[in-house]
Amino acid sequence: MQPHELDLWFTPECQQHYITLLSGRIGLTRRRAECFVRLWAYLSLKQQQAVTQLPPLPISRLQPLAEPVACSHREAAQLFYTGKDQGSDRAAGMMLDQLVTLGLIDKKFDGNRISIRIRAVPELTESPRLSPFPSVQPDAFNPRTDAIPIASLLTHTYGWLVKDAAIAQPKIIKTLRAWAQQYPTGMRVLRRCDNLQPVGMSILFPVASESEANFFRPPAKSFYLTSKAKSDPFQIASLGDMNCTAVFERFWIVDSEYLRRDYLCQFLEDAQATLTQMKQDFPNLCDLYIVVVHPIHLSSLATTLGFQKTGQEASLSAYWMYQAIDRFLALDMKQVLGDLQLEAAR
């Protein structure tokens, strides 16, 4: 079977069914969902063909794969762009990277070939009735128990920015614990209620006035945790500093399996409560900055929350975004997320 023959073995109607099931995921555009479903079906059939032979009739269900399956960028391009303007191998590789970032696949290159593993997707493989989503709640970051799992989540989600995880993770762990000693108020996690594991984190970092100029420099200057930089360009403000006007969201991350509107709403409302508390420690806070890095699964959310671009670094597809704290605090998160439009398909 060739990639362009997929529709013969997994009909467009079946593909549409699975694409619809994925429609609620934040950041998963229709186009990305289409590519993911076609990739899963193709790898499943390719794996079956390698072991025995293709089934006599078209398949109608997607099953978890027993192991990673080889898939070149050329195969992916033929698979993703069949019947459309032919995309390049590079474009297909970028789409695969986006699916990695969304937590849908794992992609490894051993020097000779690319292997892809389809990750567990609750919407497609689990019954909500039998496997309900666990309860979560926002909580204070515990540097003794949370630093290591959060470092793992960060390096997995932004793996393409991390050159060497063995070097990056110890630095992240050490830095998180140091920040927790300096100003723990701004460090919050989204925690599972059953096993107490953190599945997301937010770091609202009050910035010393002498560091504010960095908000108008290339965003890569802020990549302290995932870079080899020995010194942090952003210094934390001293408690009660009247000259502190800016907060930098060092990172806001949620495990891809927990990107549900109700969970995001809880976490964003907690961010509002945290900023309100921080204004008591820094009375003149008024500016909130974030960095959006592509590919990322929450870029559309930032725009919906009212953040505006202030600059861009084309080489990394990274850019600063700004929102006035007073306006962020005035948002009705339930309404905002209820009206959230996912990124347009492309």
Side-chain angles (χ1 to χ4, degrees):
M1 185 194 73
Q2 297 300 314
H4 66 271
E5 299 175 322
L6 178 65
D7 290 352
L8 299 176
W9 296 99
F10 190 59
T11 67
E13 290 75 19
C14 290
Q15 294 176 40
Q16 178 58 46
H17 168 70
Y18 280 94
I19 291 168
T20 300
L21 292 177
L22 288 166
S23 62
R25 280 204 167 210
I26 301 294
L28 185 60
T29 67
R30 180 176 179 79
R31 178 65 183 139
R32 293 172 187 169
E34 177 184 323
C35 290
F36 172 65
V37 169
R38 290 180 62 82
L39 178 66
W40 187 348
Y42 173 69
L43 295 182
S44 180
L45 289 164
K46 185 176 181 180
Q47 185 179 68
Q48 185 172 345
Q49 185 178 28
V51 175
T52 56
Q53 60 183 4
L54 289 173
L57 297 173
I59 62 173
S60 60
R61 297 184 60 187
L62 295 178
Q63 301 290 343
L65 301 185
E67 58 187 16
V69 180
C71 181
S72 67
H73 286 179
R74 173 54 57 88
E75 287 177 280
Q78 294 174 348
L79 188 67
F80 296 160
Y81 305 113
T82 297
K84 301 178 176 63
D85 292 338
Q86 183 65 32
S88 65
D89 294 2
R90 181 174 180 274
M94 292 174 65
M95 177 60 75
L96 291 175
D97 289 340
Q98 290 173 5
L99 297 180
V100 170
T101 301
L102 288 165
L104 295 171
I105 68 173
D106 289 324
K107 173 185 169 186
K108 291 186 178 180
F109 180 64
D110 63 7
N112 294 311
R113 66 177 188 173
I114 296 170
S115 295
I116 294 175
R117 181 176 71 88
I118 301 294
R119 301 188 70 192
V121 184
E123 297 95 321
L124 305 186
T125 60
E126 298 178 9
S127 167
R129 180 175 57 83
L130 297 176
S131 303
F133 281 97
S135 297
V136 299
Q137 65 180 14
D139 192 16
F141 172 76
N142 184 334
R144 295 175 61 86
T145 61
D146 296 337
I148 291 176
I150 289 298
S152 297
L153 176 60
L154 184 65
T155 53
H156 175 75
T157 303
Y158 293 99
W160 64 288
L161 282 176
V162 178
K163 303 300 183 183
D164 189 338
I167 296 175
Q169 289 205 38
K171 175 184 179 180
I172 293 170
I173 294 166
K174 182 178 180 180
T175 302
L176 291 177
R177 288 173 170 163
W179 286 348
Q181 290 183 332
Q182 293 175 298
Y183 189 68
T185 301
M187 303 180 70
R188 305 288 293 173
V189 297
L190 188 65
R191 192 182 305 283
R192 285 181 56 150
C193 297
D194 54 357
N195 59 19
L196 303 183
Q197 285 300 303
V199 296
M201 185 167 188
S202 166
I203 298 182
L204 293 165
F205 190 92
V207 176
S209 59
E210 55 267 28
S211 297
E212 290 185 14
N214 288 311
F215 292 125
F216 305 95
R217 292 172 180 162
K221 299 292 184 181
S222 72
F223 297 164
Y224 172 64
L225 286 179
T226 56
S227 72
K228 295 182 179 180
K230 295 183 178 180
S231 60
D232 190 347
F234 287 91
Q235 298 303 307
I236 197 166
S238 300
L239 194 65
D241 185 352
M242 300 298 290
N243 294 319
C244 175
T245 62
V247 174
F248 177 18
E249 180 76 80
R250 297 304 296 247
F251 66 85
W252 193 94
I253 187 172
V254 176
D255 189 310
S256 60
E257 295 185 10
Y258 297 85
L259 287 175
R260 291 165 47 93
R261 282 178 169 81
D262 51 344
Y263 292 171
L264 296 182
C265 186
Q266 282 182 267
F267 210 24
L268 288 167
E269 288 177 340
D270 183 74
Q272 291 177 310
T274 301
L275 281 169
T276 298
Q277 184 176 353
M278 290 175 66
K279 289 181 71 175
Q280 298 178 15
D281 297 332
F282 303 96
N284 291 321
L285 286 182
C286 56
D287 302 323
L288 177 59
Y289 292 91
I290 64 174
V291 172
V292 171
V293 182
H294 182 78
I296 190 171
H297 42 244
L298 295 177
S299 56
S300 61
L301 178 59
T303 301
T304 302
L305 293 173
F307 285 86
Q308 303 290 325
K309 284 186 182 182
T310 62
Q312 184 162 354
E313 185 168 359
S315 62
L316 288 170
S317 299
Y319 49 89
W320 288 107
M321 296 190 81
Y322 163 81
Q323 167 71 304
I325 289 178
D326 291 347
R327 292 181 178 173
F328 181 81
L329 294 179
L331 294 174
D332 181 331
M333 291 302 174
K334 290 184 176 64
Q335 180 179 353
V336 169
L337 293 186
D339 296 339
L340 177 63
Q341 296 294 317
L342 303 183
E343 297 170 81
R346 62 176 181 268

